[in-house]
Amino acid sequence: MDTHAAENPYAPTHPEIRDAVRALCLKFDGAYWRKLDRERGYPTEFVKALTEAGWLSILIPEEYGGAGLGIAAASAVLEEIHKAGCNAAACHAQMYIMGTVLRHGSKEQKERYLPKIASGELRLQAFGVTEPTSGTDTLSLRTTAVKKNNSTYVVNGQKVWTSRAEHSDLMLLLARTTPREQAQKRTEGLSVFLVDMRAALGKGLTIRPIRTMMNHNSTEVFFDDMEVPAENLIGTEGQGFRYILSGMNAERVLIASECIGDGRWFIDKAVNYAKERKLFGRPIGQNQGVQYPIARAYTQIEAADLMVRKAAAMFEAGINAGAEANMAKMLASEAAWAAAEMCVQTHGGFGFAEEYDVERKFREARLYTVAPISTNMILNFVAEHVLGLPRSY
C-alpha cells in the first residue's frame, strides 16, 4: 500500500510564479499605495517592475518576446498581486487587450507591435469601447470611423470609462464603419483600430480624467476628426464586435482572479486583526459573532475560486468558456465584496482608518460587481444562453 499522501489537485497553480510575484510586491507596501491614492497618482514604478520581470507579457507568444504561457499562469500573477495588497488595475489590460491583435491582426501588425508591448517599450492599456449613451449596449455605440481615402479613417465620437488612457501609448478602439441601418446583421458594421495616442493627442484626440471613488485612472476620450491610418485596422472591416468578444472571456477570468486575491487579502487581514485585538479580556476572534462572518467569507472565496479554475482550464483547452468565465467573474466579485464588508466590520472603527489599508481595498473591490461587466448582464447571459429563457433585452 502506498503510504505517500496523494498530490493535492487543488493546490494553488504555478507556485513558482506566485512566489516570485509575492517577492516583487513586498517592495510596494501599503504606504506606497496610500500615497498614490491620496494624489490620484499612477503606479509607474510598480508597472515598470512588473514589466521588467516579464509578468505583463506572460500571454504573448515567445516568438514575440513574451513567456507564451496560458491564462492560468496570468491568473496566478494577478491573484497574487491583489492578495499582497497591491492593485493590478493600472496595468492588467496590458495582458489581455493584445489578444485582439494576436488573434486577428496581420502578420505585419503582430511583428510591429507585440515585441514592443512585451518589452514595455509600448503600453497597450487603453480600451475604447463604452460610450456615455450606450453603456453596455455596445452594438448601439455612435463613434464613427469613416474612410477618407484608401489610407485613412476619420474618427468622430466619444468614449467614457476608458481607463489608463493618460498612461498608454496605444488604444484599442471600437468604432462604427457602417451605419447601423445599413449593416446586414446587428453584430456587423463595427471595426477595431489600433490608435497611436502619442500621434493623435491634440490632433483630434482629447483626454479628460474622471475622478472616481477609487484611484482607477479613468478618463473620457473625445474624437474630433481624428485620423487613423488604414493600416491600423485590425482584421476585416465590420467584424470588430466579434474580435472584441473573443477577448472578453480572458478578461472575465483575469478580473475574477484579481477578485479572488482581494478576497484572500481581506480574509487574512481580518483573521490577523481578530487574533490580536483584545476586548473584555479576550481576543475578539474568540467570539462566534466575529468568527462566523470570516469563515463564511473564506468559504465563498474558496467556492468562487473553483469556478475561476474551471473557466481558466476550459479557456486553455480551447473550449467555449463564455458561461463559465461570466459566472466566475460574478461569483468572485461578489465573494470579494462580501469579504470586504466583513473585513471592515471586523476592524470596527479602524476599518475606516487610512493606515490599515482596509478602506482603500474596500473601495477598489466594490468596482468589480459593476465592471467590466455588471452582474445583471451576466445573469442575462446565463438566463438566455445557458438556460434557454427568452431574450430580455
Side-chain angles (χ1 to χ4, degrees), residues 345-366:
Q345 200 69 20
T346 301
H347 281 75
F350 290 111
F352 299 92
E354 185 185 68
E355 66 181 289
Y356 281 75
D357 292 312
V358 175
E359 61 86 28
R360 171 179 62 84
K361 292 288 283 184
F362 179 88
R363 287 183 282 114
E364 291 170 2
R366 182 62 183 88

Side-chain angles (χ1 to χ4, degrees), residues 14 17 35 79-80 89 92 98 106 215 242 286 293 364:
H14 301 283
I17 288 177
K35 184 173 185 293
E79 181 188 328
E80 290 301 325
H92 58 199
M98 67 81 207
S106 66
N215 182 25
R242 181 166 62 86
Q286 193 172 340
E364 291 170 2

Side-chain angles (χ1 to χ4, degrees), residues 68 148 156 227 245 294 325 327 338:
K148 178 181 175 183
N156 282 282
E227 296 193 355
L245 282 182
I294 301 174
M327 290 188 289

Side-chain angles (χ1 to χ4, degrees), residues 364-375:
E364 291 170 2
R366 182 62 183 88
L367 172 66
Y368 294 117
T369 57
V370 174
I373 189 74
S374 72
T375 297

Side-chain angles (χ1 to χ4, degrees), residues 40 51 113 209 258 269 313 356 369 377:
R40 298 287 161 148
T51 302
Y113 292 109
E258 292 185 355
K269 191 83 170 175
Y356 281 75
T369 57
M377 291 301 290

Side-chain angles (χ1 to χ4, degrees), residues 1-17:
M1 181 178 177
D2 186 3
T3 57
H4 293 288
E7 186 177 343
N8 179 8
Y10 295 105
T13 58
H14 301 283
E16 70 293 340
I17 288 177

